[in-house]
Amino acid sequence: MKILGIETSCDETGVAVFDTTRGLLAHSVHSQIALHDEYGGVVPELASRDHVRRLLPQVESALSQAGMKLRDLDAIAFTEGPGLAGALLVGASVAGALAMGLGIPAVGIHHLEGHLLSPLLSADPPTFPFVALLVSGGHTQLMKVAKAGDYVLLGETLDDAAGEAFDKTAQLLGLPYPGGPALAKLAEKGRAGNAGGHFNFPRPMMAQMERNGSLDFSFSGLKTAVSLAWRQAIADKPADEQTRADIAAEFQQAVVDVLVAKSMVAMDTAGLRSLVVAGGVGANRELRAALDAAAKRRGRTVHYPELELCTDNGAMIAFAGALRLQSQVADPQNAVQRRGFSVRPRWDLAAVGEVNNPS
Ligand code: KG4
Ligand code: ZN
């Protein structure tokens, strides 16, 4: 089965062709970073318009890279949500129109399901069941994954997402958008509190975990602590580069400490030995090193998507679509054959199974 994957939920236009027998045949991502840079964040209307400009040419070049024509496709998978409504509509309407014209199914995919299944495309794929740590710009969640489509929420952020905390802290420190990679780079030159640095920020929600096993996260207090420290640091003298780097390093360490501790407890709670990390923040090197070390100490394994598939892309959407179609083929009652399209700007991942397999 050959599937075209389309991702347009935010500021990346991702297109890919996945073949269930031959694997990933083509994959391209156009990032809008330069477009939104001067605004310090994503401008939804500009994002939608850029998807309109890029999507069809990218579909054409992905097909030619895969050595295929439109009529060779068996299905089209697109990101149905969550995300920016206008941006999602571009992908959904192109997928719906192509599917209708070609007489093939269009499958709406949950963006986080795409991220969550993306490590299965790597050279060292995990096997079900596993715990997934989803850390993106909009979400921070721990999920128990029994199989594709069966997701149980173990914990999530009560306020800012981990990526959002990286982005906001980076902005405060005067770093360019998107802040996560820029802050991580600056942190390389800094020292966290436990490595001789002068700053000690809170590790939010750790006490709750020790008290009642809570796997929820909260990053807004950490953001406030950074903001206070930064204002004090620049109150009576211009900021020096080492102070900025030390703040970045301690902030990153605080986020990493919390994500690692909760991921380990989540595996205990779920009685599972493997962890899958997905979403943009999963590209963070310090997070990867700390998760690997903690898992190794406990005789557990951690799986990541290939680095280029950590951030938004069409490959993960095509792949999730393939898994969904393969499982639906076994159950003709649930066959996905759309004649319209919809988007879900807000969509709970734990409800994906219910939506796709109504009982
Ligand atoms: O999954 P993603 O590409 O898009 C969303 O669905 O949100 O994640 C983007 C987020 C941004 O907040 C970005 O700053 C963060 O991932 N990010 C990072 C790194 N690379 C991307 N955060 C920390 N360290 C990184 N190396
Ligand atoms: Zn994403």
mmCIF file of all heavy atoms in Angstrom, residues 111 115 136 312 316, ligand 2:
data_model
loop_
_atom_site.group_PDB
_atom_site.id
_atom_site.type_symbol
_atom_site.label_atom_id
_atom_site.label_comp_id
_atom_site.label_asym_id
_atom_site.label_seq_id
_atom_site.Cartn_x
_atom_site.Cartn_y
_atom_site.Cartn_z
ATOM 1 N N HIS A 111 -2.119 14.590 15.120
ATOM 2 C CA HIS A 111 -0.719 15.006 14.994
ATOM 3 C C HIS A 111 0.185 14.299 16.014
ATOM 4 O O HIS A 111 1.290 13.848 15.686
ATOM 5 C CB HIS A 111 -0.657 16.528 15.188
ATOM 6 C CG HIS A 111 0.703 17.110 15.109
ATOM 7 N ND1 HIS A 111 1.344 17.358 13.921
ATOM 8 C CD2 HIS A 111 1.573 17.491 16.077
ATOM 9 C CE1 HIS A 111 2.534 17.865 14.164
ATOM 10 N NE2 HIS A 111 2.700 17.960 15.463
ATOM 11 N N HIS A 115 3.581 11.792 15.855
ATOM 12 C CA HIS A 115 4.838 11.898 16.602
ATOM 13 C C HIS A 115 5.119 10.608 17.371
ATOM 14 O O HIS A 115 6.238 10.097 17.384
ATOM 15 C CB HIS A 115 4.756 13.032 17.621
ATOM 16 C CG HIS A 115 5.104 14.383 17.046
ATOM 17 N ND1 HIS A 115 6.292 14.639 16.409
ATOM 18 C CD2 HIS A 115 4.425 15.557 17.034
ATOM 19 C CE1 HIS A 115 6.327 15.907 16.035
ATOM 20 N NE2 HIS A 115 5.212 16.489 16.390
ATOM 21 N N SER A 136 6.286 18.446 22.811
ATOM 22 C CA SER A 136 6.308 19.317 21.632
ATOM 23 C C SER A 136 6.086 20.759 22.078
ATOM 24 O O SER A 136 6.103 21.064 23.271
ATOM 25 C CB SER A 136 5.222 18.876 20.663
ATOM 26 O OG SER A 136 3.964 19.201 21.189
ATOM 27 N N ASP A 312 8.071 18.401 13.187
ATOM 28 C CA ASP A 312 6.921 18.073 12.340
ATOM 29 C C ASP A 312 7.340 17.630 10.933
ATOM 30 O O ASP A 312 8.238 18.226 10.329
ATOM 31 C CB ASP A 312 6.001 19.295 12.249
ATOM 32 C CG ASP A 312 5.391 19.598 13.606
ATOM 33 O OD1 ASP A 312 5.525 18.767 14.517
ATOM 34 O OD2 ASP A 312 4.776 20.663 13.731
ATOM 35 N N MET A 316 5.723 10.881 9.370
ATOM 36 C CA MET A 316 5.026 10.292 10.531
ATOM 37 C C MET A 316 3.519 10.211 10.278
ATOM 38 O O MET A 316 2.846 9.306 10.773
ATOM 39 C CB MET A 316 5.338 11.098 11.804
ATOM 40 C CG MET A 316 4.797 12.516 11.807
ATOM 41 S SD MET A 316 5.319 13.404 13.304
ATOM 42 C CE MET A 316 4.243 14.860 13.225
HETATM 43 ZN ZN ZN B 2 4.550 18.435 16.351
#
